[in-house]
Amino acid sequence: MFVPAVRLAALLLLLFPCLLGCNPRMSSGLLPARAGVEVPPPAPTEPTVTPAPSATPSATPTPVPHLTASGAYDNLAVHTDGRYALQLAGTRVAASFTTARSPVEHWVRRTVPQPLFTIPEPFRPPRPVWRIVEGTPVHADGAPDPARSTPHRFLLRVDPDGTVHYVDDARVEGTGHLAYGLHTVWDIAPPPPTVTPTSRPWPTPTPTFVRAVPVPTPSLTVSGTYANGVEHVVGRYTLQLAGTRVAASFSTACFPVSYWAREVAAPLFTVPEPFRPPYPVLRTVEGRPVRADGAPDPDYPEPRRFLLRVDPDGAVHYVDDNHVEGVGHLAYSYSLDTVWGTTPAANDRAVLEILDRHWFGKAILFAEPPPVQFEVPAHAEIKRGTIPGAMVGAFVMFDADGRVTALGAPTNDSKARAGAPVYNFNGPLPPELGELHYLEHLDLGYQSHLAIDAKQRGSWGGPVALTGAIPPQLWRLPRLRHLDLQGQRLAGTLPSDIGHLANLEYLDLGNNWLSGSLPSSLEHLASLEYLDLGGNDFTEPLPSELGRLTRLERLDLNNSQLTKPLPPELGRLASLKYLDLHGNRLTVLPPELGQLASLERLDLGGNQLTVLPPELGQLASLKRLDLGGNQLTVLPPELGQLASLQWLDLFHNQLTGSLPPEWGQLAHLQWLGLSRNQLTGSLPPEWGQLAHLQRLGLSYNQLTGSLPPEWGQLVHLQWLDLHGNQLTGSLPPEWGQLAHLENLGLSGNQLTGSLPPTWGQLTSLQGLNLSGNQLTGPLPPEWGQLTSLQGLDLSGNQLTGSPPPEWDQLAVNIFMLDLRDNQLTGCFLKGASEDNYIVHNLPNCPP
């Protein structure tokens, strides 16, 4: 049997140079004054605030607070100097909480939890509000704790009944006593959406939300220079305020990002009021590598990306994460494609709380900052499962009114191997996702390319994964178009409420632990184009209502334990192009599948089919058909009618009889697999008409007769495997015309005659196995021209004579050569090295 050309694969690895592991060269003149003493940055330039040209002469002033409240924490025995202060301005509440000593962990986990205090009316929020609090570790008496100098983060919650609590999650473990001060805001009455009644087949109409009033013209601008102007040549910023929205631009001719992110705590500059965001905002910036003097750096022509953060106190920082490793000096001129809001809508707050509290709080958030891009280029469109390449790690997208439209953290095997962020989510999906009424795209899928093991479905995302049932709130998102939760450990059944997602176009719940039956309410997903439910345990019959998804283009139910007959109504899926039923236990197919006029790919491999309905021959658009690993006994003649067929796999069935000559009319066929069956008879000469055929597998059958010379017309053939049959006759000289042939296996037959010199023209040939036949005669000198050959097995024949001198170079280039068990004489291995795997029993030659 032919040994694979592993040296060739090893050589391919040498084609990939180091792209990411080389640190940029830093100028020897960088920051000369910092050789031991930190030089303070120069004083920031006073920002200039100028009203922008507009019909409105200046920004509308912030309303003066018309109501205040303050007091002490109820449990003063453990909260030394614990106080709160509240200010109400319109519908906005500004709050501050301070304490010099708080045993957070004890107060969270005590047997009878009590609130720290209760906020009076009318300061209470309409829904729970979570806030991250950063505290300084102290002793029980309030003195600083030198053994724990690193600040500690925890969560604080304000409930609609006014009670304020510390939140019990992973961040309170080992907290001890903390001293902190928190300043935050919330709305007491979020603006209600406008509801427009709609007419839908679903009994309970889903509300349709309309866009808010357009943002007014910018009414205020501010500009200035970076505080540390010595290192940031011509560093400038400009901010524009339009209502509650801020647009920003930043530019500089030269700056050392790595240094300012990792060694200098001072901000680049401070955004003045009222331009500051209410939560940390991260932006991706792309810079051009330059030298320390600002000149372009020819050694690093590729742009570099890094993160920039704007904090609620207005401080602007470069972010110390893997984006700044080896950055060196960069120059950039950047206008943000997105903006931030000075008063976020309820959806903004909700998604930030979910990201922090559930997804990143237990594993990611401790490494400052959270790897969330609150920015996506305005032209980036998310549709049909395609995530823009610029979106690395987690992402959040907002519309022009600040409402969340897309979020997620998609992960796949290739991303993990490339070192990109990998998110192993833990626990159940948060039901708060159901409050994002404008959400259109949710992607938390783990795309695995590993082979599926039925006993470990949903496990390749790691030991930490999404678990439990999908919360019912998720089925009531009126605008959701894309939902991907693939590759987790979600369990339970799909409820009938799934029919509420009338706008859903893409649904991937594959490779989870879902079970039971599919709900008939799936018929109400009238916009659905992509449905993947494979890798689950849907043992019940499929609902006939699936046939009403007239826009469905892809249906994937592979490895879903299906045993019951498929509903005939599937034949009504007029738009269906891809149907995957691989790895189930189906025994019969409905004839109605022949009505799928648009079907291009049908995967039925790994089932228990014994016969195919003749109607499959009507699939005029079918390009790929996989029937491998079934129990078919007869080659259906109707397959010869599939004029568009490019790929046909019938590997490992129980097929008997002869190869049909009519298949020579499949003009577009490129791949044909018939190995490991019980086929008999001869090789049809008519198959020489398959002008586009690239791969043909017929090994391990009982085929007889000679090799057809007509197959020398298969000009695109790359791979031909005929070993393990009972073929006789000689090697056709005409096969020397197969200019693209790379691998040819003819071992284990009864072939006779000599080696044809014309095969020396097979310059693309990499592997040739002719072992275990009855070939005679000398080694052709012409075969010394096979410069691409990596493996040649001629063992177990009756070849005679001495290897010609032309084979000397062949012995140098080849990786594996087996000449054993012949009648050859002489030696031609002068140039061979120990890197060559050469096996022979030639006299007068080293072993």
Side-chain angles (χ1 to χ4, degrees):
M1 184 174 181
F2 171 61
V3 177
V6 295
R7 187 177 71 168
L8 180 61
L11 291 175
L12 292 177
L13 295 177
L14 299 178
L15 299 178
F16 297 91
C18 170
L19 298 178
L20 300 176
C22 306
N23 290 330
R25 172 178 49 80
M26 299 297 291
S27 172
S28 59
L30 173 61
L31 310 174
R34 299 193 181 97
V37 179
E38 181 64 45
V39 178
T45 304
E46 185 68 25
T48 303
V49 180
T50 308
S54 172
T56 305
S58 62
T60 304
T62 303
V64 177
H66 56 78
L67 193 61
T68 62
S70 60
Y73 289 7
D74 297 339
N75 41 3
L76 286 175
V78 290
H79 287 80
T80 304
D81 299 324
R83 299 198 61 83
Y84 66 91
L86 308 168
Q87 290 182 328
L88 177 64
T91 62
R92 300 290 287 168
V93 173
S96 66
F97 311 110
T98 60
T99 182
R101 173 171 60 91
S102 170
V104 173
E105 185 172 7
H106 170 78
W107 206 252
V108 167
R109 296 180 171 173
R110 57 178 295 166
T111 305
V112 183
Q114 297 179 9
L116 307 180
F117 59 91
T118 301
I119 292 175
E121 287 283 10
F123 299 91
R124 300 174 181 175
R127 57 171 59 88
V129 172
W130 283 268
R131 291 294 181 265
I132 301 175
V133 183
E134 186 174 274
T136 302
V138 295
H139 290 298
D141 59 359
D145 187 349
R148 299 187 302 140
S149 58
T150 303
H152 195 103
R153 290 184 164 192
F154 62 97
L155 282 175
L156 182 144
R157 186 182 77 244
V158 184
D159 288 337
D161 62 0
T163 56
V164 181
H165 300 267
Y166 297 139
V167 177
D168 183 6
D169 75 344
R171 272 169 285 202
V172 302
E173 294 178 2
T175 299
H177 291 73
L178 298 180
Y180 65 83
L182 170 67
H183 305 277
T184 185
V185 294
W186 64 73
D187 283 326
I188 61 171
T194 303
V195 179
T196 303
T198 59
S199 177
R200 292 189 181 137
W202 188 250
T204 304
T206 305
T208 300
F209 299 88
V210 299
R211 183 179 289 269
V213 178
V215 175
T217 305
S219 55
L220 194 64
T221 62
V222 61
S223 61
T225 60
Y226 289 6
N228 41 2
V230 173
E231 298 297 341
H232 289 78
V233 180
V234 201
R236 298 196 61 84
Y237 66 90
T238 301
L239 309 168
Q240 289 185 324
L241 176 66
T244 62
R245 306 297 288 171
V246 175
S249 65
F250 310 100
S251 64
T252 183
C254 174
F255 70 97
V257 172
S258 297
Y259 180 86
W260 283 103
R262 294 180 172 172
E263 298 187 31
V264 181
L268 307 180
F269 62 93
T270 301
V271 174
E273 288 283 9
F275 299 90
R276 299 175 182 175
Y279 47 78
V281 173
L282 288 124
R283 292 292 185 262
T284 302
V285 182
E286 187 173 273
R288 175 175 51 86
V290 295
R291 300 186 187 276
D293 59 0
D297 191 339
D299 295 333
Y300 303 101
E302 297 297 327
R304 294 292 187 90
R305 296 180 135 206
F306 63 96
L307 287 177
L308 182 145
R309 187 181 78 245
V310 185
D311 288 335
D313 61 0
V316 180
H317 296 270
Y318 299 135
V319 175
D320 181 9
D321 72 348
N322 57 3
H323 290 75
V324 302
E325 292 180 2
V327 167
H329 290 73
L330 296 181
Y332 66 82
S333 178
Y334 186 65
S335 296
L336 299 182
D337 291 322
T338 57
V339 291
W340 66 75
T342 57
T343 54
N347 286 354
D348 284 337
R349 284 201 314 277
V351 72
L352 292 173
E353 291 158 0
I354 292 168
L355 288 173
D356 172 58
R357 173 168 51 89
H358 186 80
W359 293 343
F360 305 121
K362 297 181 180 178
I364 304 294
L365 190 57
F366 291 117
E368 183 69 23
V372 180
Q373 285 185 224
F374 294 102
E375 175 215 353
V376 172
H379 63 273
E381 180 183 6
I382 300 181
K383 186 178 180 182
R384 301 295 302 279
T386 302
I387 302 295
M391 299 167 68
V392 178
F395 66 91
V396 179
M397 291 179 65
F398 302 92
D399 64 11
D401 300 313
R403 297 171 301 212
V404 177
T405 60
L407 62 90
T411 302
N412 56 46
D413 292 336
S414 59
K415 178 184 288 188
R417 289 191 294 269
V422 176
Y423 301 96
N424 288 327
F425 304 107
N426 184 25
L429 279 168
E432 292 87 348
L433 287 171
E435 297 184 19
L436 304 180
H437 298 293
Y438 286 83
L439 191 63
E440 298 179 5
H441 185 109
L442 175 61
D443 189 347
L444 302 176
Y446 189 98
Q447 305 290 337
S448 176
H449 304 291
L450 302 176
I452 294 176
D453 185 333
K455 295 182 179 180
Q456 298 186 11
R457 283 192 302 269
S459 64
W460 43 74
V464 181
L466 292 172
T467 58
I470 300 174
Q473 292 85 346
L474 208 59
W475 309 124
R476 301 182 185 276
L477 292 172
R479 295 174 175 264
L480 197 62
R481 295 188 297 111
H482 179 112
L483 176 59
D484 189 341
L485 299 173
Q486 193 264 153
Q488 301 294 334
R489 293 185 178 180
L490 298 170
T493 59
L494 292 180
S496 60
D497 285 353
I498 194 173
H500 285 293
L501 302 178
N503 291 310
L504 200 63
E505 299 174 2
Y506 184 105
L507 176 59
D508 191 345
L509 299 175
N511 300 316
N512 278 283
W513 292 357
L514 301 171
S515 59
S517 59
L518 298 179
S520 60
S521 58
L522 285 171
E523 66 175 310
H524 298 297
L525 306 183
S527 301
L528 199 63
E529 300 176 2
Y530 183 110
L531 177 59
D532 187 345
L533 298 171
N536 287 285
D537 293 313
F538 297 118
T539 55
E540 299 299 319
L542 298 180
S544 60
E545 289 80 1
L546 279 178
R548 300 180 184 176
L549 301 177
T550 56
R551 296 183 61 179
L552 194 65
E553 297 182 6
R554 175 172 178 140
L555 176 58
D556 193 336
L557 291 164
N558 75 84
N559 293 280
S560 293
Q561 314 300 310
L562 299 177
T563 59
K564 304 295 179 16
L566 302 176
E569 289 78 5
L570 290 182
R572 301 176 184 175
L573 299 175
S575 301
L576 196 65
K577 297 180 180 179
Y578 181 107
L579 177 58
D580 190 349
L581 296 166
H582 182 94
N584 287 288
R585 303 174 187 174
L586 300 173
T587 57
V588 295
L589 297 176
E592 289 78 5
L593 291 183
Q595 302 172 14
L596 299 174
S598 301
L599 195 65
E600 297 179 359
R601 178 169 176 174
L602 176 58
D603 192 340
L604 294 165
N607 281 279
Q608 300 174 15
L609 300 172
T610 57
V611 65
L612 298 178
E615 289 79 3
L616 290 185
Q618 303 172 15
L619 299 174
S621 301
L622 195 65
K623 297 179 180 179
R624 177 164 179 161
L625 176 58
D626 187 350
L627 290 163
N630 279 281
Q631 301 173 18
L632 300 172
T633 58
V634 178
L635 284 173
E638 294 81 12
L639 298 183
Q641 304 171 19
L642 301 174
S644 301
L645 200 63
Q646 300 176 4
W647 176 296
L648 176 58
D649 191 354
L650 287 157
F651 168 84
H652 208 301
N653 277 274
Q654 301 173 18
L655 298 171
T656 59
S658 58
L659 301 177
E662 315 83 69
W663 286 14
Q665 305 300 319
L666 298 174
H668 299 283
L669 197 62
Q670 301 176 12
W671 203 104
L672 177 56
L674 288 163
S675 297
R676 295 190 180 275
N677 282 284
Q678 303 170 26
L679 297 168
T680 57
S682 60
L683 304 178
E686 293 83 356
W687 286 18
Q689 304 171 25
L690 298 173
H692 293 89
L693 193 64
Q694 299 176 13
R695 294 175 68 93
L696 175 57
L698 288 165
S699 62
Y700 295 114
N701 280 285
Q702 301 171 23
L703 299 171
T704 57
S706 60
L707 304 178
E710 292 83 355
W711 285 21
Q713 304 171 22
L714 301 174
V715 293
H716 293 289
L717 193 64
Q718 301 174 9
W719 187 87
L720 176 58
D721 191 353
L722 289 164
H723 76 264
N725 282 283
Q726 302 171 22
L727 299 171
T728 58
S730 60
L731 303 179
E734 293 82 356
W735 285 22
Q737 305 170 20
L738 301 175
H740 293 91
L741 191 64
E742 298 177 0
N743 284 281
L744 175 58
L746 289 166
S747 62
N749 283 283
Q750 302 170 22
L751 299 171
T752 58
S754 59
L755 304 180
T758 57
W759 285 24
Q761 304 170 20
L762 301 175
T763 54
S764 298
L765 197 63
Q766 299 177 19
L768 174 59
N769 193 339
L770 293 169
S771 64
N773 282 283
Q774 303 170 22
L775 299 171
T776 58
L779 303 179
E782 293 82 357
W783 284 30
Q785 305 171 18
L786 299 176
T787 55
S788 299
L789 200 61
Q790 295 291 302
L792 174 60
D793 192 345
L794 296 172
S795 63
N797 283 282
Q798 303 172 22
L799 300 172
T800 58
S802 178
E806 290 83 355
W807 281 49
D808 288 349
Q809 187 61 37
L810 185 66
V812 174
N813 296 334
I814 205 164
F815 171 64
M816 195 284 294
L817 174 62
D818 193 343
L819 297 173
R820 289 175 299 175
D821 301 326
N822 282 282
Q823 302 174 21
L824 297 169
T825 60
C827 181
F828 70 108
L829 305 176
K830 300 176 182 178
S833 70
E834 28 183 66
D835 291 335
N836 304 103
Y837 180 77
I838 299 179
V839 184
H840 64 90
N841 52 3
L842 297 175
N844 304 318
C845 274

PDB file of all heavy atoms in Angstrom, residues 448 450-462 487-489 511-513 535:
ATOM      1  N   SER A 448     -17.207  24.097  15.708  1.00  0.00           N
ATOM      2  CA  SER A 448     -16.149  23.099  15.805  1.00  0.00           C
ATOM      3  C   SER A 448     -16.046  22.336  14.499  1.00  0.00           C
ATOM      4  O   SER A 448     -17.045  21.968  13.901  1.00  0.00           O
ATOM      5  CB  SER A 448     -16.426  22.123  16.953  1.00  0.00           C
ATOM      6  OG  SER A 448     -15.449  21.112  16.978  1.00  0.00           O
ATOM      7  N   LEU A 450     -14.234  19.532  14.495  1.00  0.00           N
ATOM      8  CA  LEU A 450     -13.843  18.200  14.917  1.00  0.00           C
ATOM      9  C   LEU A 450     -14.881  17.173  14.469  1.00  0.00           C
ATOM     10  O   LEU A 450     -16.045  17.491  14.237  1.00  0.00           O
ATOM     11  CB  LEU A 450     -13.705  18.144  16.444  1.00  0.00           C
ATOM     12  CG  LEU A 450     -12.696  19.119  17.070  1.00  0.00           C
ATOM     13  CD1 LEU A 450     -12.766  19.000  18.579  1.00  0.00           C
ATOM     14  CD2 LEU A 450     -11.291  18.828  16.584  1.00  0.00           C
ATOM     15  N   ALA A 451     -14.456  15.931  14.370  1.00  0.00           N
ATOM     16  CA  ALA A 451     -15.402  14.861  14.043  1.00  0.00           C
ATOM     17  C   ALA A 451     -16.423  14.721  15.162  1.00  0.00           C
ATOM     18  O   ALA A 451     -16.111  14.855  16.335  1.00  0.00           O
ATOM     19  CB  ALA A 451     -14.650  13.544  13.841  1.00  0.00           C
ATOM     20  N   ILE A 452     -17.654  14.458  14.791  1.00  0.00           N
ATOM     21  CA  ILE A 452     -18.732  14.399  15.766  1.00  0.00           C
ATOM     22  C   ILE A 452     -18.769  13.035  16.422  1.00  0.00           C
ATOM     23  O   ILE A 452     -18.784  12.001  15.760  1.00  0.00           O
ATOM     24  CB  ILE A 452     -20.076  14.704  15.090  1.00  0.00           C
ATOM     25  CG1 ILE A 452     -20.092  16.157  14.606  1.00  0.00           C
ATOM     26  CG2 ILE A 452     -21.224  14.460  16.043  1.00  0.00           C
ATOM     27  CD1 ILE A 452     -21.340  16.514  13.852  1.00  0.00           C
ATOM     28  N   ASP A 453     -18.776  13.005  17.727  1.00  0.00           N
ATOM     29  CA  ASP A 453     -18.976  11.797  18.516  1.00  0.00           C
ATOM     30  C   ASP A 453     -20.323  11.937  19.200  1.00  0.00           C
ATOM     31  O   ASP A 453     -20.552  12.866  19.964  1.00  0.00           O
ATOM     32  CB  ASP A 453     -17.859  11.646  19.553  1.00  0.00           C
ATOM     33  CG  ASP A 453     -17.972  10.329  20.327  1.00  0.00           C
ATOM     34  OD1 ASP A 453     -19.091   9.815  20.451  1.00  0.00           O
ATOM     35  OD2 ASP A 453     -16.938   9.832  20.798  1.00  0.00           O
ATOM     36  N   ALA A 454     -21.225  11.003  18.915  1.00  0.00           N
ATOM     37  CA  ALA A 454     -22.588  11.127  19.440  1.00  0.00           C
ATOM     38  C   ALA A 454     -22.629  11.199  20.957  1.00  0.00           C
ATOM     39  O   ALA A 454     -23.538  11.778  21.533  1.00  0.00           O
ATOM     40  CB  ALA A 454     -23.429   9.947  18.951  1.00  0.00           C
ATOM     41  N   LYS A 455     -21.636  10.614  21.631  1.00  0.00           N
ATOM     42  CA  LYS A 455     -21.636  10.609  23.089  1.00  0.00           C
ATOM     43  C   LYS A 455     -21.070  11.902  23.670  1.00  0.00           C
ATOM     44  O   LYS A 455     -21.170  12.145  24.858  1.00  0.00           O
ATOM     45  CB  LYS A 455     -20.829   9.417  23.615  1.00  0.00           C
ATOM     46  CG  LYS A 455     -21.451   8.065  23.260  1.00  0.00           C
ATOM     47  CD  LYS A 455     -20.635   6.931  23.857  1.00  0.00           C
ATOM     48  CE  LYS A 455     -21.271   5.577  23.525  1.00  0.00           C
ATOM     49  NZ  LYS A 455     -20.493   4.460  24.091  1.00  0.00           N
ATOM     50  N   GLN A 456     -20.436  12.731  22.826  1.00  0.00           N
ATOM     51  CA  GLN A 456     -19.815  13.933  23.345  1.00  0.00           C
ATOM     52  C   GLN A 456     -20.277  15.155  22.588  1.00  0.00           C
ATOM     53  O   GLN A 456     -19.555  16.134  22.487  1.00  0.00           O
ATOM     54  CB  GLN A 456     -18.291  13.808  23.264  1.00  0.00           C
ATOM     55  CG  GLN A 456     -17.754  12.660  24.097  1.00  0.00           C
ATOM     56  CD  GLN A 456     -16.238  12.638  24.127  1.00  0.00           C
ATOM     57  OE1 GLN A 456     -15.594  13.584  23.701  1.00  0.00           O
ATOM     58  NE2 GLN A 456     -15.680  11.575  24.642  1.00  0.00           N
ATOM     59  N   ARG A 457     -21.458  15.110  22.005  1.00  0.00           N
ATOM     60  CA  ARG A 457     -21.970  16.282  21.314  1.00  0.00           C
ATOM     61  C   ARG A 457     -22.079  17.443  22.290  1.00  0.00           C
ATOM     62  O   ARG A 457     -22.520  17.295  23.416  1.00  0.00           O
ATOM     63  CB  ARG A 457     -23.347  15.991  20.720  1.00  0.00           C
ATOM     64  CG  ARG A 457     -23.293  15.167  19.462  1.00  0.00           C
ATOM     65  CD  ARG A 457     -24.656  15.173  18.799  1.00  0.00           C
ATOM     66  NE  ARG A 457     -25.699  14.662  19.683  1.00  0.00           N
ATOM     67  CZ  ARG A 457     -26.058  13.407  19.749  1.00  0.00           C
ATOM     68  NH1 ARG A 457     -25.428  12.529  19.013  1.00  0.00           N
ATOM     69  NH2 ARG A 457     -27.014  13.013  20.541  1.00  0.00           N
ATOM     70  N   GLY A 458     -21.691  18.602  21.826  1.00  0.00           N
ATOM     71  CA  GLY A 458     -21.767  19.787  22.664  1.00  0.00           C
ATOM     72  C   GLY A 458     -20.646  19.909  23.658  1.00  0.00           C
ATOM     73  O   GLY A 458     -20.651  20.816  24.469  1.00  0.00           O
ATOM     74  N   SER A 459     -19.627  19.030  23.604  1.00  0.00           N
ATOM     75  CA  SER A 459     -18.583  19.064  24.617  1.00  0.00           C
ATOM     76  C   SER A 459     -17.303  19.718  24.128  1.00  0.00           C
ATOM     77  O   SER A 459     -16.417  19.979  24.919  1.00  0.00           O
ATOM     78  CB  SER A 459     -18.272  17.644  25.085  1.00  0.00           C
ATOM     79  OG  SER A 459     -17.736  16.880  24.026  1.00  0.00           O
ATOM     80  N   TRP A 460     -17.187  19.976  22.822  1.00  0.00           N
ATOM     81  CA  TRP A 460     -15.911  20.492  22.339  1.00  0.00           C
ATOM     82  C   TRP A 460     -15.732  21.966  22.679  1.00  0.00           C
ATOM     83  O   TRP A 460     -14.703  22.537  22.434  1.00  0.00           O
ATOM     84  CB  TRP A 460     -15.768  20.293  20.828  1.00  0.00           C
ATOM     85  CG  TRP A 460     -16.996  20.610  20.067  1.00  0.00           C
ATOM     86  CD1 TRP A 460     -17.505  21.825  19.794  1.00  0.00           C
ATOM     87  CD2 TRP A 460     -17.891  19.657  19.474  1.00  0.00           C
ATOM     88  NE1 TRP A 460     -18.648  21.702  19.079  1.00  0.00           N
ATOM     89  CE2 TRP A 460     -18.919  20.392  18.858  1.00  0.00           C
ATOM     90  CE3 TRP A 460     -17.911  18.281  19.415  1.00  0.00           C
ATOM     91  CZ2 TRP A 460     -19.950  19.767  18.193  1.00  0.00           C
ATOM     92  CZ3 TRP A 460     -18.940  17.688  18.739  1.00  0.00           C
ATOM     93  CH2 TRP A 460     -19.947  18.422  18.135  1.00  0.00           C
ATOM     94  N   GLY A 461     -16.737  22.642  23.213  1.00  0.00           N
ATOM     95  CA  GLY A 461     -16.546  24.017  23.654  1.00  0.00           C
ATOM     96  C   GLY A 461     -15.765  24.097  24.941  1.00  0.00           C
ATOM     97  O   GLY A 461     -15.538  25.176  25.444  1.00  0.00           O
ATOM     98  N   GLY A 462     -15.315  22.964  25.490  1.00  0.00           N
ATOM     99  CA  GLY A 462     -14.563  22.966  26.732  1.00  0.00           C
ATOM    100  C   GLY A 462     -15.451  22.572  27.883  1.00  0.00           C
ATOM    101  O   GLY A 462     -16.651  22.347  27.753  1.00  0.00           O
ATOM    102  N   GLY A 487     -23.059  24.401  19.350  1.00  0.00           N
ATOM    103  CA  GLY A 487     -21.883  23.874  20.012  1.00  0.00           C
ATOM    104  C   GLY A 487     -21.825  24.120  21.501  1.00  0.00           C
ATOM    105  O   GLY A 487     -20.728  24.173  22.054  1.00  0.00           O
ATOM    106  N   GLN A 488     -22.939  24.259  22.198  1.00  0.00           N
ATOM    107  CA  GLN A 488     -22.949  24.441  23.642  1.00  0.00           C
ATOM    108  C   GLN A 488     -23.534  23.178  24.302  1.00  0.00           C
ATOM    109  O   GLN A 488     -23.467  22.103  23.721  1.00  0.00           O
ATOM    110  CB  GLN A 488     -23.755  25.695  24.002  1.00  0.00           C
ATOM    111  CG  GLN A 488     -23.230  26.975  23.372  1.00  0.00           C
ATOM    112  CD  GLN A 488     -21.870  27.375  23.894  1.00  0.00           C
ATOM    113  OE1 GLN A 488     -21.482  27.037  25.012  1.00  0.00           O
ATOM    114  NE2 GLN A 488     -21.118  28.108  23.078  1.00  0.00           N
ATOM    115  N   ARG A 489     -24.097  23.327  25.493  1.00  0.00           N
ATOM    116  CA  ARG A 489     -24.723  22.184  26.176  1.00  0.00           C
ATOM    117  C   ARG A 489     -26.148  22.528  26.578  1.00  0.00           C
ATOM    118  O   ARG A 489     -26.611  22.165  27.650  1.00  0.00           O
ATOM    119  CB  ARG A 489     -23.905  21.793  27.404  1.00  0.00           C
ATOM    120  CG  ARG A 489     -22.538  21.232  27.071  1.00  0.00           C
ATOM    121  CD  ARG A 489     -21.805  20.753  28.308  1.00  0.00           C
ATOM    122  NE  ARG A 489     -20.515  20.185  27.986  1.00  0.00           N
ATOM    123  CZ  ARG A 489     -19.666  19.682  28.877  1.00  0.00           C
ATOM    124  NH1 ARG A 489     -19.993  19.696  30.161  1.00  0.00           N
ATOM    125  NH2 ARG A 489     -18.507  19.183  28.513  1.00  0.00           N
ATOM    126  N   ASN A 511     -25.602  20.776  17.567  1.00  0.00           N
ATOM    127  CA  ASN A 511     -24.607  20.243  18.492  1.00  0.00           C
ATOM    128  C   ASN A 511     -24.832  20.717  19.917  1.00  0.00           C
ATOM    129  O   ASN A 511     -23.919  21.234  20.577  1.00  0.00           O
ATOM    130  CB  ASN A 511     -23.197  20.600  18.010  1.00  0.00           C
ATOM    131  CG  ASN A 511     -22.899  20.029  16.648  1.00  0.00           C
ATOM    132  OD1 ASN A 511     -23.215  18.879  16.370  1.00  0.00           O
ATOM    133  ND2 ASN A 511     -22.321  20.822  15.781  1.00  0.00           N
ATOM    134  N   ASN A 512     -26.063  20.590  20.387  1.00  0.00           N
ATOM    135  CA  ASN A 512     -26.408  20.812  21.779  1.00  0.00           C
ATOM    136  C   ASN A 512     -26.984  19.514  22.335  1.00  0.00           C
ATOM    137  O   ASN A 512     -26.754  18.442  21.776  1.00  0.00           O
ATOM    138  CB  ASN A 512     -27.396  21.980  21.905  1.00  0.00           C
ATOM    139  CG  ASN A 512     -26.706  23.326  21.880  1.00  0.00           C
ATOM    140  OD1 ASN A 512     -26.113  23.756  22.860  1.00  0.00           O
ATOM    141  ND2 ASN A 512     -26.779  24.004  20.740  1.00  0.00           N
ATOM    142  N   TRP A 513     -27.721  19.612  23.427  1.00  0.00           N
ATOM    143  CA  TRP A 513     -28.341  18.435  24.044  1.00  0.00           C
ATOM    144  C   TRP A 513     -29.857  18.544  24.011  1.00  0.00           C
ATOM    145  O   TRP A 513     -30.545  18.029  24.881  1.00  0.00           O
ATOM    146  CB  TRP A 513     -27.852  18.288  25.495  1.00  0.00           C
ATOM    147  CG  TRP A 513     -26.404  17.930  25.600  1.00  0.00           C
ATOM    148  CD1 TRP A 513     -25.535  17.669  24.576  1.00  0.00           C
ATOM    149  CD2 TRP A 513     -25.648  17.779  26.808  1.00  0.00           C
ATOM    150  NE1 TRP A 513     -24.287  17.376  25.064  1.00  0.00           N
ATOM    151  CE2 TRP A 513     -24.317  17.432  26.435  1.00  0.00           C
ATOM    152  CE3 TRP A 513     -25.945  17.912  28.165  1.00  0.00           C
ATOM    153  CZ2 TRP A 513     -23.310  17.222  27.370  1.00  0.00           C
ATOM    154  CZ3 TRP A 513     -24.932  17.690  29.089  1.00  0.00           C
ATOM    155  CH2 TRP A 513     -23.629  17.346  28.701  1.00  0.00           C
ATOM    156  N   GLY A 535     -27.001  17.280  15.435  1.00  0.00           N
ATOM    157  CA  GLY A 535     -26.232  16.979  16.622  1.00  0.00           C
ATOM    158  C   GLY A 535     -27.033  17.065  17.899  1.00  0.00           C
ATOM    159  O   GLY A 535     -26.460  17.307  18.968  1.00  0.00           O
TER     160      GLY A 535
END
